[in-house]
Amino acid sequence: AIWIENMNTVLDDNKKLCLNSGEIIPLAETNRVVFEVEDLSVASPATVSRCGMIYVEPAYLLPSRLEPDKAAGAPLMKTWLMELPPPLDEQRETLAKLMNTFVVPCTELLRLELTQPIVAPMSSVFANILRVLECYLFALLPDPSVEPDAEAMEAMKERLPKLVEPAFFMSLIWGVGGLVDQASRDKFDGFLRQKMKEHNTKAGGMPASGSVFDCAFDMSGGRWLPWIKTAAEYQLSPKTDFKADFNALIIPTASSICYDSLINTLMSGNKHTLIIGPTGTAKSVTVSQYLMNSVSARYDPIMMAFSAQTSANQTQDILDSKFEKRRQGQDKDSGLAYTMWGPMLGKRFLIFIDDFNMPKRETYGAQPPVELMRQMIDTAAYAPPGAAGFGGGWYDRKTLRWKLIVDVTLIAAMGPPGGGRQVMTNRMIRHMHLLNFTTMSNEVVEGIFTTITKAFLENDMAADLVPMAAPLVQATLGLYTRTCDVLRPMPSKPHYTFNLREISKVIQGLLMADKRRTVSREDMAHLWAHECERVFADRLINEEDRSWFLEETKTQMKEHLKLAYGKVVDSSRPLLYCDFFTAGADPAIYEEVKSVDKLTEMCKDHQNEYNEHHLPMSLVLFEDALGHVCRISRVLRQPSGNALLLGVGGSGRQSLTRLAAHIADYRVFQIEMTKNYRVIEWREDLKTVLKIAGYSMEPVVFLFVDTQISSEIFLENVNNLLSSGEVPNLFEESDLGPIFEKMTQLLISKGESVTKTSLYAHFVKLVKKNLHVVMCMSPLGGEYTDRIRQFPSLINNTTTDWFSPWPNSALKAVARTLMAEQADTMDEETFSSIVDTCGSMHSAVCESSTRFLDEMRRHNYVTPTSYLELLSVIKVVLKQRQEKINTRRNQLSNGLDKLNKTKMEVSVLKQQLAEQQPILIETSAKVKEQQAQIAIDKEEALIIKGQAEASSAAAATKAAECTGIKESAEAGLAEALPALDAAVKCLSKLDKSQIVEVKALKNPPSGVRLVLQAVCIMFQIKSVKITDPDNPQKKLDDYWGPSQKMLNDLGPDKFKQALIGFDKDNIPDSVIKLVEPICISDEFQPEIIVKVSVACEAMCLWVQAMRKYYYVSKEVEPKRRQLAAAEVELKAATDSKKEAEAKLDAVTKKVEALEAALKEAVEKMAMLEEQVARATVQLSNADKLIGGLGGEAKSWEEQVAQLSLQLENVMGDVLVCAGTISYLGPFTAGYRSKIVGEWLGEMKARGLRFTPDCTLSNILADPVKVRQWNIDGLPADAFSIENGIIMSVTKRWPLMIDPQGQA
């Protein structure tokens, strides 16, 4: 091995370890290297020459066959006897005597005459005996952790002598006889009984009748009992759901009870166990049932399976995820740091590994996962001194620290070597107790399945069908036995591996019977024939095997069911059952398909429904396709039903699976391959599909195709899914949280215990129930055979459905459907001939491919995809060919028509030319007159335009003047308007109560009097004369009285409105003269007035605003008058402008009309000139055409006739071309010519027309392209040109096989 070669420098005298990095590590002089190996098969002379050799002879440890009576003195036996603890040490002599008497004769019989599935070394055989004996005897000892009971010890000592001999014989029987097959067990039974008779040994009362393997010694009762009596009697519950719970039905037999008891004994003694047996001997079921149901609470099971691709790292990761860290430490002697791992304290792991010998060997012959397990159960090299319970271990790959694995017991199951299973290394075998599961006898198998079938018929079917239970099982067993004998696996038939699972599948199919349809013996026999065909015949690859199987089915039916096959099965229609034939039935009825037409319509309806909600599928549901839909549906309706669909590409495996899943209302999950799709994405997809099945509890179909296998790990995971329903180490802790939460609720509702193990087990159970794996594989090539061999669950845990080549009827149906558009363009007879020819071409190529392989040793695979390609190419090439011929023919026909038309049109052109000349002269004169008139009118328009422009300028000047005056007036008014607005705003706030309050004043303040005086002046209300209080001789003007009268007369509202509506534009000068002194006084200010009256403040503001507006208005009024005068002048100017513009518009329109008339006349003249010129040219060209092409007309007529003939022959030509493109690429030139000749003969016989020299190059070759190909280096021979045409036309990727480098 490479690693040991790298240590050669360590083995040298200088003892230096040279690393790849260039670093050199010297070892101490005291260091020594010791290798312990089984052989030197991979050792090199360089290594051997550096080591001293010591060969250890196994015989030194074992009893000598030359001195059988001294067996107990051999080192192995003697050591074991000397280490017996008290009180077992008192029985050494008894045990030694038994060993001297029986051990060597029995082991010699094993070595010389008995057959072992795997030949165990003799040391392992003796160790086998001692392990079983130790388990039986040590179980009698009291528990060391419990205070010993003196009375119990004495009682045990008294019983012990009576138990030692039976325990020895139990260990001898299963230590030696447990290694061999059934035939050898019978021989061993006779031999052992003879030896016991010779030595007068009773073995504690062993029954004299029956086999020594049929009974067990009850250590507690001290007697021998048949195995069947050591367990409680089994009764099937009347409430059993045989359809849903079939996979959970375990019928105990003497063998299963025996093996279960032996496994329990070995596990109780912590003995690593290796179970051997062929497929179908219930190894996995027995161990799984024991681990799930019979194991005590102190054990925690770990179940996993190996496959060909299982790696040591993967195995280590899976187990590391289960182990818990206990403690860490350092060995005092070696200084090695270690960590101790194992189950929870007080527990022990039982690790069950199925298919233990499946991992493929590495370069030097080792199986890394197996070696890792051996290392785990080996004695730890670096265990702390005095430590108890230490096992082996491995290094942590990250920290490189040694991990001691403790408290684990390994139990493994494997099949005999062969068919992908490897020979187990003796270094592993020596650690394991070997136990062989023999193939169950026909009586046992019959008993198991008869029990199930009878219970089903009694509980769910009519009473008169119950007697059929045993005959049905017998017929199935007979058919299975004959099939195994005759239909053996071969390189071309690697899946012809039948085991007892096939019988189980047939019985499971019988349990799907519905009493609404299966009512008579004939109905049940009919169903039995169907289930046998589904389980056995559906995997057969040729008609020869199917015919043999049909005849054998008839024989078994006649022999066991006493019914004639012809009276039970109608051979005029396919033997099919499905559960959707009766729409709307609840529950669905599993019944015979009695009408293929009805089934076709139902499947079409389902297909249409599918296409409405998914990516549409274009399926042609011919009879074979319908059969596969029913087969897939049958598998999907079964719990844990998985299918292996074997067929070439294009046979419809995926589409039919999708349709069947849609009919069952199941979800379909399929990975989406991309160029970056790796194992990480694969594992995420697996998580998704398992959560759908186990967490969401939705039925889901996992559709997986072999073309999606980018890594063999994919297949390993699928293999695990099929075998155990899980992918080890797939879910992280974060993923398991939600899953366990939901599983907890389900287990609590069922009243079951909730542990981490039970939660995950229930999740896996739901996955197995709802997940249906449909594996699509192609049987072509060597990969398929290797994968079937390396991953046995692909066959063992699936129902196989072989997709045979499409029959002729299917080929016709597909052609009719896909070429329906072409059918509309031809008569039915011609179309039927075309359809028949397509099928014949496909069949002919299949036959030629077989001949090609025989003669040329070259493979050519003809698949349905090739046929679909043929139909596709026919449609494409037919369209292209028709378009090309029609285009060319139309061109020539158009040329002939042009020649004839030209001759007819020449005379017409001459006549037109004579008629157009006078018109052209007249039109030219008229144009000149119109041009003169337009010149005069344009001069008049220019004069009027000048006048209009002058008027427009005057009007613009006057408008600007008016605008200036208006802006000046508005600016003046802008000074008074804010004050006016403020006064009006203040008046609007004036309240009625405020006015009333002013009116009610008896002695108003001076400010109030002053404001009201100003208001009265503004309203021109005269004052009254009153006596001056200071000078009675003098009279004063008083406005208070008039103001009071004003307020009374008007009232508050009218007074307020009078103020607001005052005529401010017509205030007399006299009023302003009277109010002026008041307004300019200091007392008449709003801020002063507001202090005495709010109402008077508003009046004050109003008076001030009116005064100010008066003065501003007086200044603005002249400007207003000036503006009015200017606007009158502006109106006159504007009217003058409009009048001038109207005149200009009239003249302009006149000129435009004249110009339009002139343009029309000019265009007419130009047109006439062009017509005359064109007519002249046409006459000249016509003379040239007639003169130049007159001689070509005859040639064109001949070519048109030839193209018309090609159009009539186009269908036949296209068939040959499409067939060559789709099928003949792999063939040599001679084969191509011969096959094309056969096709032409078929077409001629069917009345299809074709070109006599019809070949691909003659029909589709484009001379220009071919010439370019030749320039680019393509040889000019017809074969190379055909290859070029095939590559340019085909829609598929071309694979060029080019040994001469021509491509």
Side-chain angles (χ1 to χ4, degrees), residues 523-542:
D523 294 338
M524 183 58 73
H526 190 278
L527 177 60
W528 174 84
H530 169 265
E531 296 306 314
C532 291
E533 186 172 314
R534 296 288 77 80
V535 173
F536 294 101
D538 280 351
R539 73 170 62 182
L540 305 182
I541 69 171
N542 54 46

Side-chain angles (χ1 to χ4, degrees), residues 460-663:
D460 293 359
M461 302 299 287
D464 55 349
L465 295 180
V466 175
M468 292 190 71
L472 286 170
V473 175
Q474 291 166 2
T476 306
L477 187 57
L479 188 59
Y480 162 76
T481 303
R482 289 286 296 146
T483 302
C484 291
D485 292 340
V486 177
L487 302 179
R488 295 182 176 276
M490 300 170 60
S492 61
K493 310 170 185 178
H495 57 282
Y496 276 27
T497 53
F498 302 96
N499 54 60
L500 292 179
R501 288 187 177 92
E502 271 59 60
I503 300 178
S504 175
K505 291 174 185 176
V506 173
I507 300 303
Q508 184 179 11
L510 292 177
L511 300 192
M512 293 193 295
D514 195 300
K515 62 182 178 182
R516 291 171 287 181
R517 294 291 186 272
T518 308
V519 296
S520 65
R521 294 179 70 251
E522 288 76 11
D523 294 338
M524 183 58 73
H526 190 278
L527 177 60
W528 174 84
H530 169 265
E531 296 306 314
C532 291
E533 186 172 314
R534 296 288 77 80
V535 173
F536 294 101
D538 280 351
R539 73 170 62 182
L540 305 182
I541 69 171
N542 54 46
E543 196 58 40
E544 179 185 353
D545 291 346
R546 296 190 197 98
S547 299
W548 176 89
F549 181 81
L550 177 60
E551 294 303 318
E552 190 61 34
T553 303
K554 294 178 180 178
T555 301
Q556 297 297 332
M557 181 181 289
K558 183 69 175 177
E559 180 180 347
H560 296 285
L561 302 183
K562 311 303 180 186
L563 292 169
Y565 186 89
K567 293 183 178 180
V568 173
V569 179
D570 185 357
S571 58
S572 64
R573 60 173 181 261
L575 181 56
L576 295 173
Y577 275 68
C578 68
D579 64 346
F580 56 88
F581 195 66
T582 300
D586 189 19
I589 302 174
Y590 188 60
E591 59 183 319
E592 180 193 3
V593 175
K594 295 185 177 181
S595 171
V596 176
D597 292 339
K598 180 181 176 181
L599 179 65
T600 304
E601 292 303 317
M602 295 182 72
C603 288
K604 285 183 178 178
D605 292 340
H606 285 296
Q607 179 185 351
N608 294 334
E609 184 180 326
Y610 176 91
N611 290 342
E612 290 176 1
H613 301 91
H614 304 85
L615 189 66
M617 297 187 302
S618 180
L619 287 177
V620 181
L621 296 173
F622 49 85
E623 190 174 288
D624 266 26
L626 295 172
H628 288 299
V629 171
C630 293
R631 293 179 180 98
I632 299 170
S633 296
R634 170 185 173 274
V635 175
L636 296 184
R637 78 187 304 272
Q638 295 175 342
S640 305
N642 305 303
L644 173 63
L645 309 183
L646 299 177
V648 294
S651 53
R653 298 164 299 171
Q654 297 184 64
S655 300
L656 297 179
T657 299
R658 294 181 183 278
L659 179 58
H662 176 72
I663 293 172

Side-chain angles (χ1 to χ4, degrees), residues 62-83:
L62 307 179
S64 172
R65 57 179 178 269
L66 301 177
E67 298 178 319
D69 55 345
K70 295 181 180 181
L76 180 64
M77 316 299 280
K78 185 177 181 180
T79 302
W80 185 84
L81 288 171
M82 294 304 294
E83 292 180 352

